[in-house]
Amino acid sequence: MSILDYVNLVAEPLDTKKTNRILIVDDEPRLRTSYAQLLSGDGRSIEQCATGIAAQARLDKRDIDVVVLDLNLPDVSGIEIMQWMQQNHLDTSVVVFSADEAINSAIFALRQGAFEFIRKCCDPDELISAVDRALHLRKMKREHTTLSAQLQQSERMHRFLVEQSPDIIYTLDNEGRFVFINRRAETLLGYEQNELLGKHYSVIVHPEDIAQANYNFNERRIGDRAATNVEIRLKSKDLSKGFLHFDNRVIVTILSSQGVYAAKDDSPLGNFVGTAGVARDITERKKAEETIAFQAFHDLLTGLPNRVLFKDRLELAVIQAERRQQRLGVMFIDLDRFKLINDTYGHPEGDELLKAFARRTRACLRSGDTLARLGGDEFTVLLPDINSENDVITIADKIMAEMCAPFLVGGHDYHASASIGIAIFPEDGNTPDSLVRNADIAMYQTKSQGKNGYLHFNSSMSSNQQDRIILENDLRAAIRSGDQFELHYQPQVSQSNQRIIGFEALIRWQHPTRGLIGPDEFIPLAEEAGLIVGISDWVLNAGCRQLQLWRNAGFDQFKLAINLSPKEFEQGNLVDRINRFISAYSIPPAAIEIEITESLLMNDAEKVIDKVSQLRLAGIRVSIDDFGTRYSSLNYLRRFPVSCIKIDQSFVRDLIPNYAPAIIDAIIGISHSFSLDVLAEGVETASQCQELSKLGCDKMQGFYFSRPLPAAAIETMLISGKFPLSASTANTKH
């Protein structure tokens, strides 16, 4: 018999054309209008409220089917509205559509009776689908209620509802054997009805839940005292048949049951004849709850414990080690040059490297150890129950050995390395925070000594960190005063004409107590501390002022190259700042050349292209420094309107008489094909100069011509017209 046959039995037909009323509650008019357009359709009435008070007043009319509710409202929160609805027994379905990213908000909203929790950043189709499901579920509930109310009119209607129920419905005799069970047991558990009739209920109960099942399947109570929503696991018959959705042989259900009694004159209840119950499959809900709980304490990329879980485990390990008079180790690991991977190959490849590193490192640890990802390329390791420092060193050696094998990144072999810091309880700290901090300090010390290794923390390292803080404070003071910095200038020459064509400005810091400090020591500190803009402004001002003095003295045939940190290109006002200094000293824009690093080309390329284009439109020259040391492509070079390419000194060093590395020849050829100037850095010998000239590179810079010199020495050189021709082989940018 079809459902239509059953519907004909009821006194009043089901209202299949009911208008579904949807209430949108959000304090942003634009979003309410957008939601209304998304959710509109035949048979739907869309209403809107901007405040919680207005929403409560409208919901109190009790004719709203679904409310799309924002949690953050100006007067009454969405959580309070759901609590009010529960207190007033409103049957409206709630779909929370919130910008709140916190997992706890999702969990709390679902516990307050929300039908679904959807974040505003999701695909709009998810909101449409959630409302459709809520309306569909309400429709099913209405139909179920209507049919249930007429069960007395038809036993066949009762049978239909039971058999079509999404839940397992059953009755047991007074010895716990199945007297009836609906077909849902077949779709969920794989048992046909006749296979279970006469069998004891324990045949479908997970062995570990038998004790709980004995109490609830044998329920004798009725009414409010009867068992309700008790969680019990049921086991399936045969996974090979491919029943429903379970990934193993167990589903999770919530069970409600009560005693069944036969009427008897001398007993208020009658004779106990068995138990009737309903078991609802909540496997997917349990999985969702477990997923939410997992995400709260684990890194989603690697699946490793996150900072919160690592701290919790470390706190417990410290307590246990202190009580048992044991030692434990903490390692702080940072991947070297990880930013290079993201800049070169992109973040997806960087993520794959992180996952591969996590797998290799985890394989080096013992079963009771914990590897956690703190964020980015930083990892921590907890090593409980160790005997000595050697135990930690052994594991560190294993990790370093694993790093010897290349990783596959972007289809190429990539040899990664890591810097590791080690701290041991109780010698290096007796609290979780001190252990992690000291391991972190040791890791940074490893990086400062060349990376790709490990160091055990000692107290002198802490002093180094304090020195770093002192140096940072001194740098702030130097930027404020502006009188501790000075610029040195290194000539850029045309070899064929034996004349100076420009200078590169190189900053030095004359520290009051430490003496002259090179940029390699304080520029990274300035970038890390957010001080680089102040230093760049000083360089631009000092460089343009000096260039104006030289031009006024008649030396107006050369340009000034100024290095800018990649961090500068994150500033929205970079071009305006450069133009301000050029205008202040009446310098022709073409006399200034801004040098950018090759890696910057791959870092947010569209923004960088826009800024480079603005510089070129203003007439300012732009060169690519250290070209060839990163992974570039002709496509990048074509898109960036640069004016010059500088060959890195590491390639120039490889020049020998009658032999030139192919990459130099290629860079010169690329430059000429794009009509770009090309300049070789680090020229230190006459033979290098000659080989570059043979290859077609006429513009050079290096100690062969001159070291970087103060402005006064440069003026002497300009007046004499001679180069010092230093024979030193030191780095050209020291």
Side-chain angles (χ1 to χ4, degrees):
M1 179 177 291
S2 69
I3 189 170
L4 293 177
D5 296 326
Y6 290 121
V7 172
N8 290 332
L9 295 174
V10 300
E12 296 180 3
L14 298 176
D15 182 10
T16 59
K17 297 183 179 180
K18 178 183 180 299
T19 298
N20 293 308
R21 298 184 182 277
I22 301 173
L23 177 63
I24 299 173
V25 184
D26 198 299
D27 58 342
E28 296 188 34
R30 180 178 57 82
L31 293 179
R32 292 198 307 272
T33 302
S34 299
Y35 300 166
Q37 293 174 348
L38 284 172
L39 300 175
S40 63
D42 293 340
R44 293 185 179 183
S45 174
I46 311 294
E47 298 182 36
Q48 303 178 21
C49 286
T51 66
I53 297 299
Q56 287 177 324
R58 181 62 189 88
L59 289 167
D60 203 32
K61 296 181 181 180
R62 298 177 182 269
D63 60 349
I64 296 297
D65 293 288
V66 176
V67 56
V68 177
L69 181 62
D70 187 9
L71 294 182
N72 298 318
L73 298 172
D75 50 355
V76 179
S77 73
I79 295 296
E80 291 174 318
I81 292 175
M82 287 190 283
Q83 291 172 340
W84 172 82
M85 292 173 66
Q86 287 185 335
Q87 293 168 1
N88 290 273
H89 306 289
L90 267 68
D91 189 38
T92 301
S93 299
V94 180
V95 174
V96 176
F97 196 54
S98 173
D100 194 342
E101 297 287 340
I103 292 177
N104 287 340
S105 297
I107 295 174
F108 193 58
L110 293 173
R111 287 178 177 172
Q112 294 301 315
F115 175 77
E116 282 202 28
F117 184 99
I118 301 175
R119 292 186 172 86
K120 287 184 179 180
C121 61
C122 73
D123 190 330
D125 287 340
E126 292 188 31
L127 175 61
I128 298 172
S129 177
V131 173
D132 288 345
R133 291 194 299 272
L135 290 173
H136 179 70
L137 180 60
R138 291 182 64 81
K139 177 182 177 183
M140 294 298 294
K141 286 182 177 179
R142 288 197 302 270
E143 295 175 355
H144 188 277
T145 301
T146 302
L147 293 173
S148 297
Q150 299 169 13
L151 285 176
Q152 294 180 352
Q153 300 181 35
S154 173
E155 175 60 27
R156 290 188 303 175
M157 176 65 80
H158 166 75
R159 175 66 64 177
F160 175 82
L161 291 174
V162 170
E163 292 295 353
Q164 298 300 320
S165 171
D167 306 325
I168 295 176
I169 300 176
Y170 66 90
T171 57
L172 304 172
D173 63 18
N174 56 9
E175 294 183 357
R177 296 186 295 259
F178 285 107
V179 176
F180 168 80
I181 189 165
N182 66 350
R183 294 177 183 173
R184 187 59 169 158
E186 181 176 350
T187 56
L188 283 179
L189 302 176
Y191 289 97
E192 296 182 6
Q193 289 173 294
N194 58 3
E195 289 184 274
L196 291 177
L197 295 180
K199 299 289 181 62
H200 194 266
Y201 63 79
S202 60
V203 73
I204 65 170
V205 177
H206 190 281
E208 295 179 4
D209 290 354
I210 286 293
Q212 182 71 30
N214 288 340
Y215 179 75
N216 292 282
F217 272 90
N218 290 320
E219 180 64 80
R220 289 174 172 264
R221 296 170 297 179
I222 62 174
D224 293 339
R225 298 178 58 206
T228 303
N229 294 340
V230 179
E231 191 172 303
I232 289 181
R233 289 172 292 176
L234 304 181
K235 60 183 181 181
S236 66
K237 174 188 175 184
D238 188 356
L239 183 63
S240 64
K241 292 184 178 180
F243 298 111
L244 205 53
H245 53 266
F246 41 81
D247 298 324
N248 48 44
R249 296 180 62 85
V250 176
I251 66 169
V252 183
T253 65
I254 51 173
L255 179 72
S256 299
S257 60
Q258 65 177 4
V260 177
Y261 293 83
K264 187 178 181 182
D265 294 339
D266 58 352
S267 174
L269 288 177
N271 288 331
F272 174 72
V273 296
T275 303
V278 177
R280 171 164 295 179
D281 176 24
I282 61 167
T283 306
E284 293 301 327
R285 192 182 83 187
K286 292 294 291 184
K287 288 180 179 178
E289 291 174 354
E290 291 171 0
T291 298
I292 292 173
F294 181 87
Q295 291 174 351
F297 298 104
H298 290 80
D299 171 54
L300 298 186
L301 176 65
T302 62
L304 296 175
N306 61 10
R307 184 186 301 270
V308 175
L309 183 54
F310 180 81
K311 183 178 180 182
D312 182 71
R313 292 185 180 179
L314 179 56
E315 288 175 348
L316 179 61
V318 167
I319 293 172
Q320 292 176 340
E322 191 171 20
R323 183 168 58 245
R324 299 170 183 173
Q325 297 296 302
Q326 293 177 333
R327 308 171 82 191
L328 65 84
V330 172
M331 303 171 70
F332 202 109
I333 308 175
D334 185 271
L335 282 175
D336 300 328
R337 302 181 302 144
F338 179 70
K339 186 177 183 299
L340 174 62
I341 294 298
N342 282 338
D343 291 346
T344 303
Y345 296 100
H347 288 278
E349 291 294 338
D351 289 347
E352 291 302 317
L353 175 59
L354 290 174
K355 289 191 287 186
F357 172 76
R359 288 192 297 269
R360 290 193 190 182
T361 304
R362 189 69 193 87
C364 298
L365 306 181
R366 303 166 301 177
S367 59
D369 299 336
T370 296
L371 171 65
R373 182 186 178 214
L374 299 191
D377 60 339
E378 292 182 339
F379 296 81
T380 50
V381 177
L382 168 60
L383 304 168
D385 190 19
I386 62 171
N387 295 318
S388 67
E389 177 187 354
N390 291 334
D391 294 343
V392 184
I393 297 299
T394 298
I395 292 176
D397 284 332
K398 288 182 179 179
I399 295 173
M400 300 308 297
E402 281 292 328
M403 300 299 287
C404 293
F407 294 85
L408 186 64
V409 177
H412 304 279
D413 284 346
Y414 176 75
H415 290 271
S417 63
S419 297
I420 302 175
I422 298 170
I424 296 177
F425 173 89
E427 303 97 293
D428 305 324
N430 54 11
T431 66
D433 288 341
S434 63
L435 288 167
V436 173
R437 181 180 64 249
N438 291 339
D440 190 14
I441 290 173
M443 181 274 292
Y444 273 106
Q445 191 69 21
T446 304
K447 281 189 174 294
S448 68
Q449 295 185 9
K451 307 177 182 179
N452 191 27
Y454 57 83
L455 288 174
H456 184 183
F457 172 81
N458 60 62
S459 57
S460 64
M461 295 179 181
S462 183
S463 299
N464 292 337
Q465 289 297 106
Q466 293 174 358
D467 290 344
R468 183 179 178 87
I469 294 173
I470 293 173
L471 187 63
E472 180 182 324
N473 291 333
D474 291 345
L475 184 57
R476 292 180 186 274
I479 293 172
R480 285 194 299 269
S481 67
D483 57 4
Q484 296 181 23
F485 298 119
E486 60 184 63
L487 284 183
H488 287 194
Y489 303 87
Q490 185 169 35
Q492 297 173 338
V493 305
S494 169
Q495 167 63 12
S496 60
N497 297 325
Q498 283 293 296
R499 68 178 182 86
I500 296 174
I501 59 173
F503 294 96
E504 181 176 0
L506 301 167
I507 189 171
R508 303 291 188 265
W509 179 13
Q510 189 65 50
H511 192 277
T513 59
R514 302 189 184 195
L516 195 64
I517 301 177
D520 289 346
E521 185 173 349
F522 68 87
I523 290 297
L525 178 62
E527 291 178 331
E528 181 181 334
L531 303 175
I532 194 63
V533 172
I535 291 178
S536 296
D537 282 350
W538 187 93
V539 171
L540 286 166
N541 183 68
C544 290
R545 182 176 65 244
Q546 184 61 58
L547 186 61
Q548 180 195 48
L549 293 174
W550 286 335
R551 292 179 65 84
N552 291 341
F555 303 112
D556 57 0
Q557 300 302 312
F558 51 75
K559 58 181 174 60
L560 182 65
I562 297 175
N563 293 281
L564 288 185
S565 164
K567 294 284 185 182
E568 287 285 358
F569 282 78
E570 299 173 6
Q571 305 295 320
N573 63 343
L574 172 64
V575 178
D576 291 337
R577 284 169 46 218
I578 296 174
N579 281 325
R580 185 171 70 248
F581 290 110
I582 291 176
S583 299
Y585 292 101
S586 301
I587 303 296
I592 298 296
E593 181 173 271
I594 300 299
E595 293 192 1
I596 62 176
T597 61
E598 185 180 12
S599 61
L600 184 63
L601 305 186
M602 280 78 74
N603 185 15
D604 202 356
E606 298 307 320
K607 288 185 179 179
V608 177
I609 289 173
D610 180 62
K611 286 186 172 64
V612 171
S613 298
Q614 292 179 47
L615 290 171
R616 297 294 289 132
L617 286 173
I620 300 169
R621 293 171 58 85
V622 178
S623 65
I624 302 177
D625 197 12
D626 302 333
F627 190 80
T629 60
R630 299 291 187 268
Y631 178 80
S632 288
S633 69
L634 294 181
N635 183 50
Y636 276 114
L637 200 57
R638 186 181 297 111
R639 297 175 65 197
F640 281 82
V642 298
S643 47
C644 178
I645 290 178
K646 299 185 74 174
I647 302 174
D648 187 67
Q649 58 187 337
S650 62
F651 303 131
V652 175
R653 289 196 192 102
D654 294 335
L655 282 168
I656 59 176
N658 300 317
Y659 171 77
I663 190 169
I664 294 183
D665 196 13
I667 292 173
I668 294 172
I670 290 171
S671 302
H672 292 165
S673 66
F674 282 95
S675 299
L676 302 176
D677 288 339
V678 59
L679 183 146
E681 295 183 293
V683 179
E684 299 174 350
T685 66
S687 64
Q688 291 173 347
C689 181
Q690 293 169 2
E691 292 300 322
L692 287 167
S693 296
K694 291 178 184 178
L695 293 171
C697 178
D698 180 57
K699 297 175 182 178
M700 306 176 196
Q701 172 183 343
F703 277 24
Y704 177 69
F705 304 101
S706 172
R707 295 172 177 272
L709 299 172
I714 292 296
E715 290 178 9
T716 300
M717 180 188 302
L718 292 175
I719 294 172
S720 67
K722 297 179 180 180
F723 305 133
L725 291 177
S726 170
S728 172
T729 58
N731 189 301
T732 61
K733 290 196 176 180
H734 282 183

